[in-house]
Amino acid sequence: MLSKNGTSLNVSAKVISIALAGIFMVGLSGCAPEVGSEKWCKQMSEKDKGDWSANEAADYAKHCVF
């Protein structure tokens, strides 16, 4: 039920918004291949070496070269 100032509706809208944002974030995290996987190594080899971070370069050397 809706209280005098509409707080019940506001709380429900906030809960739904937070839930949708969480689902969206989980969906985004599934798009990137796992570091060290064959797909990730291929993606990194196609990426310009100047755009690699130090961590990406180290991970590439660790998982894809050796």
Side-chain angles (χ1 to χ4, degrees):
M1 289 297 244
L2 203 56
S3 64
K4 283 185 179 180
N5 59 5
T7 56
S8 179
L9 182 61
N10 289 339
V11 170
S12 296
K14 286 181 183 178
V15 168
I16 291 171
S17 295
I18 291 171
L20 289 175
I23 292 168
F24 180 73
M25 293 302 293
V26 168
L28 285 179
S29 67
C31 295
E34 183 179 348
V35 174
S37 68
E38 185 176 331
K39 186 176 180 181
W40 182 84
C41 291
K42 183 176 186 214
Q43 182 180 15
M44 289 302 295
S45 65
E46 294 171 353
K47 185 176 177 181
D48 184 27
K49 307 291 189 259
D51 292 338
W52 289 12
S53 69
N55 287 339
E56 288 174 330
D59 286 337
Y60 185 83
K62 180 179 178 183
H63 297 289
C64 306
V65 176
F66 300 113

